[in-house]
Amino acid sequence: MKTKPHPGAGVEIWDVDLRRVDDATFAAIRALFVEHGLVFFRDQELREEDHIAFAARFGAINVNRFFPRHPEHPEIAVVSKRPEQRINVGGGWHTDHSYDTEPALGSILVARELPRRGGDTWFVSMYDAFERLPERVKERLRRMRAVHSAKHIFGSRTTRIRRFLGAGELAHNPELADALDDVIHPVVIKHPLSGREALYINPSFTLRFAGRSIVTSLPLLAYLYLHATRPAKVARFTWRPGSVALWDNRATWHYARNDYPGEARVMHRVTIAGCALRGSAPN
Ligand code: SIN
């Protein structure tokens, strides 16, 4: 398998057809996923069925309860921005599903319609962000937990969702109410697959540290967010027709750039179910 490091973070695989992955090749892709948390593929010709089948090799599919679903393939969340829309989905640093009690293992995004230019997705590694912290900060964070929520983004009492997707598509989702419970995760997890320590907070869904208010949590959160997104550490992935990105939601953040006004961008995302997360410090 031909691979090369992607600038900033992750790895690109060049010579694999994701429609036909034998067991040995899949094991090699999975090993790269566990090691880097971020794997990019080019020149793929995935039909929706192929996309779902590839994702299902990693685990059960977690159908996103907020996003519009593909009409024939409900496993696929459609992440789209129409030319007249101003706000995009995912236009801030986040990791998918941290608001769940069992956050998603990973996501696989396939480009379906791209703007002429722009619309990149940026990624950062949370292994790297944690490793680069001063030892005394690491020690402190290992003992902390944080509260995550989706209600300020997807909850029925916010209008943001309507502005994201227009036409109230998500507001009709009867499962929205499920989003309203806050969940608590360790700030530093022992990654379930790699066993490595990763920082597990994110600017979109983390509200505060457990036992602290939003206001008193803010200075440390802001420090960590700036630290994690240092420009030299950002992998800027430029989509082309046939591009596919596979990322680890427990070890990376991503950010969909919104720099293509007046143009459409349509992506298909399949999200893979995860498990409850354990902290890296012994209980
Ligand atoms: C997402 O946030 O899952 C979508 C990212 C993108 O559209 O680039």
Side-chain angles (χ1 to χ4, degrees):
M1 206 161 63
K2 285 201 196 110
T3 67
K4 68 170 190 179
H6 188 280
V11 63
E12 288 202 25
I13 301 180
W14 288 94
D15 55 348
V16 167
D17 179 346
L18 292 178
R19 293 172 302 180
R20 297 179 194 88
V21 175
D22 61 31
D23 288 346
T25 307
F26 180 73
I29 294 172
R30 191 176 178 282
L32 288 170
F33 169 76
V34 173
E35 183 183 347
H36 298 275
L38 191 52
V39 186
F40 302 111
F41 305 87
R42 297 288 190 189
D43 305 322
Q44 301 296 318
E45 292 178 30
L46 292 186
R47 295 168 307 149
E48 282 79 0
E49 293 84 347
D50 304 318
H51 183 181
I52 295 164
F54 179 58
R57 293 180 77 167
F58 288 86
I61 306 298
N62 178 332
V63 179
N64 186 285
R65 60 193 189 275
F66 305 116
F67 288 9
R69 294 173 190 173
H70 188 290
E72 283 129 50
H73 303 279
E75 299 92 335
I76 296 179
V78 179
V79 178
S80 71
K81 180 173 176 249
R82 296 189 292 270
E84 71 279 11
Q85 288 179 305
R86 298 180 64 179
I87 293 177
N88 68 333
V89 175
W93 285 112
H94 67 285
T95 188
D96 301 332
H97 294 217
S98 81
Y99 45 77
D100 285 341
T101 47
E102 297 191 351
L105 174 154
S107 299
I108 303 177
L109 194 67
V110 174
R112 295 295 178 196
E113 184 180 344
L114 292 170
R116 279 168 302 167
R117 67 180 67 81
D120 292 1
T121 307
W122 290 3
F123 296 88
V124 282
S125 162
M126 291 300 107
Y127 291 137
D128 174 74
F130 186 71
E131 264 164 34
R132 288 188 288 108
L133 284 168
E135 207 48 55
R136 65 187 161 73
V137 180
K138 287 184 181 172
E139 227 5 87
R140 186 173 163 205
L141 295 177
R142 285 186 184 110
R143 296 192 299 272
M144 295 174 73
R145 297 187 308 150
V147 179
H148 298 241
S149 174
K151 67 177 169 239
H152 54 291
I153 298 194
F154 298 118
S156 53
R157 293 179 64 185
T158 171
T159 54
R160 256 179 98 72
I161 196 63
R162 286 168 225 268
R163 287 197 284 135
F164 268 154
L165 292 147
E169 282 140 334
L170 298 190
H172 294 119
N173 185 336
E175 294 165 76
L176 271 179
D178 293 351
L180 299 181
D181 288 339
D182 295 348
V183 300
I184 296 185
H185 299 299
V187 167
V188 184
I189 60 165
K190 181 176 160 73
H191 191 283
L193 298 178
S194 69
R196 291 171 65 190
E197 290 183 306
L199 190 61
Y200 194 75
I201 49 168
N202 69 87
S204 295
F205 299 120
T206 305
L207 293 181
R208 58 185 172 83
F209 294 113
R212 295 212 202 162
S213 69
I214 290 179
V215 171
T216 58
S217 299
L218 205 58
L220 181 55
L221 285 176
Y223 160 76
L224 293 170
Y225 295 159
L226 279 173
H227 166 84
T229 56
R230 271 184 39 193
K233 298 293 180 179
V234 175
R236 296 167 171 81
F237 186 63
T238 299
W239 295 92
R240 298 199 299 256
S243 298
V244 176
L246 158 65
W247 65 80
D248 182 335
N249 281 307
R250 292 138 356 162
T252 61
W253 295 348
H254 56 282
Y255 171 16
R257 303 283 294 156
N258 185 9
D259 55 357
Y260 49 96
E263 291 193 68
R265 179 177 182 272
V266 181
M267 315 295 275
H268 284 178
R269 194 181 88 191
V270 178
T271 301
I272 304 149
C275 58
L277 298 173
R278 297 181 45 198
S280 72
N283 290 327

